[in-house]
Amino acid sequence: MNNFFLWWVLSAITGSPLLALLIVIALWFFLDRFTLGVLPDPFRIFSRLRRQWHWERVLRVNSHDRQARYQLAETLLERGKPAQAMQMLKPNLEAGDDDKNTLFVMASACLGAGHYEQGEKLLAHVEEMDPGFRMGEIERVRGIARLKRGDGAGAQRA
């Protein structure tokens, strides 16, 4: 009722119900951006796409740039494409990258793509290297993956 009243008053002021509706929607959007953040942020979507395009362009120029491969895999993982991220990181692991960040991104990609055993092994290896990695991020990823495959008790332990 509150929003209807706001729309009605704005319609009377502007003389156009469509303009009033656009103003109400814009107010909702900006209030949400600066308070709770429930609505998706379109700027974040575009920045992720821009980052992905940047790293793809870097890899077209130099296909052996391991840092660019890592960054692109991390961006793909953020965008919900774990299979592509896994394929992107395979050459890094074959070349001998054994740092905890690369292994963690590969483990997350494996778990997201459905390769649970390989992902769990990689997470265990990262946990051996640094038990407090990213303040419990290992347990969070492990718990989400176990929930996806239906292991509620395992997810609760994680």
Side-chain angles (χ1 to χ4, degrees):
M1 192 69 183
N2 199 4
N3 294 323
F4 175 74
F5 184 69
L6 177 63
W7 172 79
W8 184 65
V9 169
L10 283 172
S11 296
I13 292 173
T14 62
S16 171
L18 292 176
L19 180 61
L21 181 65
L22 290 175
I23 292 172
V24 169
I25 291 173
L27 282 173
W28 281 345
F29 177 76
F30 286 114
L31 284 174
D32 180 66
R33 283 290 93 215
F34 294 114
T35 56
L36 299 176
V38 175
L39 297 174
D41 186 7
F43 303 114
R44 180 179 291 170
I45 294 168
F46 290 124
S47 72
R48 285 180 183 168
L49 279 173
R50 197 180 78 228
R51 252 192 342 230
Q52 179 181 345
W53 293 335
H54 168 74
W55 293 118
E56 286 172 349
R57 197 170 47 243
V58 168
L59 282 174
R60 273 193 301 258
V61 172
N62 181 6
S63 62
H64 300 291
D65 188 351
R66 287 193 236 170
Q67 182 64 26
R69 282 186 175 283
Y70 166 76
Q71 293 292 338
L72 180 57
E74 196 171 41
T75 304
L76 288 170
L77 195 59
E78 286 176 6
R79 291 198 55 222
K81 299 180 179 184
Q84 289 179 355
M86 192 173 73
Q87 293 300 322
M88 190 58 58
L89 271 181
K90 272 187 183 179
N92 282 18
L93 293 178
E94 290 169 357
D97 281 0
D98 195 26
D99 64 306
K100 56 190 173 189
N101 291 320
T102 303
L103 291 176
F104 177 74
V105 171
M106 184 63 167
S108 301
C110 288
L111 290 171
H115 302 282
Y116 297 114
E117 292 176 22
Q118 184 180 5
E120 290 278 350
K121 286 178 187 177
L122 287 170
L123 280 180
H125 185 61
V126 173
E127 198 169 26
E128 287 174 9
M129 294 170 75
D130 185 8
F133 181 73
R134 292 187 187 172
M135 297 176 58
E137 186 78 8
I138 294 172
E139 288 82 13
R140 186 189 70 82
V141 169
R142 187 178 284 147
I144 290 171
R146 287 179 181 174
L147 270 179
K148 278 186 181 177
R149 65 181 160 179
D151 182 15
Q156 193 172 16
R157 280 193 314 266

